[in-house]
Amino acid sequence: MEYVSPEGLRIDGRRPMEMRKLQAEIGVVAKADGSAVFEMGNTKVIAAVYGPREVQNRSQQLNDQALVRCEYSMANFSTGDRMRKPKGDRRSTEISLVIRQTMEACILTQLMPRSQIDIYVQVLQADGGTRSACINAATLALADAGIPMRDFVTSCSAGYLNSTPLLDLNYVEDSAGGPDVTIGILPKLDKVTLLQMDAKLPLDLFENVMQLAAEGCKAIAEYIREVLSENTKQLEFRRGV
């Protein structure tokens, strides 16, 4: 299958280094301390944050930092062909762990000892890049909840198909079996908090693909700052500031 046409266009009409359209909204779950919907093209996820609050299971309490918990799930209607899976399947458990570890790298947990922060993310519509979209939604939800962070953590993927590096893979590209790199970074600190790769890549190509994914992360960070800035302006307007 040809994933990049002779004219340099991908199957969805994008250029190789072009991201899908980003769209986000915060404060979408009334009962949560912070929440957000994040869309990357046709992939749509929702995140809700509760906390910091008292630790429910005292045996898990940490005296020097906050306990961060994460639960990832995929709505049964999120893909047309997805079979119903029991809650707690292996893939969901693995992605929950990845998101938790990625978010722990940006949350200033030492400022909230003996407390608990719960992050829930659910995929409403899946079209590739769900892991990255969940991390970006969680970042916005944490910011909405006022959780102190070192920096925003943003995530994006890049791959290599038809001898061409491609940014922000959709489902068809992601399923092609080519090399796929997903990273999460703290853009201001220029630190990598997540790096996952499917299939092998020569070192020189890996560096190109990873750099492309990092540029995508920085573009997402810029968009997240715009969303939060616009939300702050709306709050100030409502309060008559």
Side-chain angles (χ1 to χ4, degrees):
M1 184 173 174
E2 189 179 70
Y3 294 97
V4 183
S5 71
E7 295 79 27
L9 295 176
R10 293 154 72 172
I11 48 179
D12 57 6
R14 288 182 290 154
R15 297 281 177 191
M17 298 188 182
E18 186 179 344
M19 292 190 67
R20 293 176 289 178
K21 184 182 177 185
L22 302 176
Q23 199 162 329
E25 184 182 350
I26 60 178
V28 293
V29 180
K31 295 285 179 69
D33 294 309
S35 59
V37 165
F38 198 91
E39 297 179 44
M40 299 176 75
N42 292 325
T43 293
K44 183 175 185 177
V45 305
I46 187 168
V49 169
Y50 295 85
R53 58 186 178 181
E54 189 176 344
V55 179
Q56 291 167 337
N57 184 348
R58 285 299 176 88
S59 65
Q60 295 180 321
Q61 182 172 290
L62 303 173
N63 291 326
D64 58 346
Q65 64 187 58
L67 170 69
V68 179
R69 302 196 311 175
C70 180
E71 187 177 303
Y72 163 94
S73 61
M74 209 166 177
N76 292 314
F77 54 78
S78 60
T79 62
D81 58 352
R82 186 173 188 269
M83 296 293 288
R84 186 180 181 90
K85 289 186 181 179
K87 188 177 178 183
D89 63 90
R90 186 179 294 179
R91 183 173 181 272
S92 296
T93 302
E94 184 248 328
I95 295 177
S96 297
L97 178 63
V98 166
I99 296 171
R100 178 176 67 77
Q101 291 174 336
T102 304
M103 305 321 294
E104 276 181 329
C106 77
I107 299 171
L108 293 167
T109 54
Q110 71 274 16
L111 298 182
M112 299 161 284
R114 297 181 297 282
S115 66
Q116 173 179 316
I117 298 169
D118 292 314
I119 303 169
Y120 298 92
V121 284
Q122 184 170 46
V123 178
L124 302 176
Q125 192 167 287
D127 185 29
T130 53
R131 201 167 307 203
S132 292
C134 286
I135 289 168
N136 298 328
T139 291
L140 267 174
L142 286 167
D144 185 38
I147 304 291
M149 295 184 278
R150 289 179 181 82
D151 189 5
F152 298 137
V153 59
T154 56
S155 179
C156 191
S157 67
Y160 192 77
L161 290 171
N162 293 155
S163 304
T164 309
L166 302 177
L167 177 63
D168 189 19
L169 304 182
N170 61 29
Y171 178 75
V172 174
E173 294 166 338
D174 196 18
S175 305
D180 170 16
V181 177
T182 299
I183 70 167
I185 67 168
L186 301 173
K188 282 185 180 176
L189 301 175
D190 206 25
K191 287 187 175 181
V192 175
T193 61
L194 168 68
L195 174 58
Q196 291 189 313
M197 183 167 73
D198 299 332
K200 292 181 180 179
L201 262 177
L203 189 58
D204 56 335
L205 288 177
F206 169 74
E207 288 175 350
N208 289 340
V209 171
M210 184 170 171
Q211 184 58 39
L212 185 59
E215 292 302 317
C217 289
K218 289 173 182 175
I220 291 168
E222 197 59 42
Y223 175 70
I224 282 176
R225 287 190 193 99
E226 288 174 12
V227 170
L228 291 172
S229 176
E230 184 59 36
N231 184 66
T232 301
K233 287 176 185 173
Q234 289 178 8
L235 288 173
E236 288 175 345
F237 177 75
R238 286 178 201 151
R239 291 174 182 173
V241 176

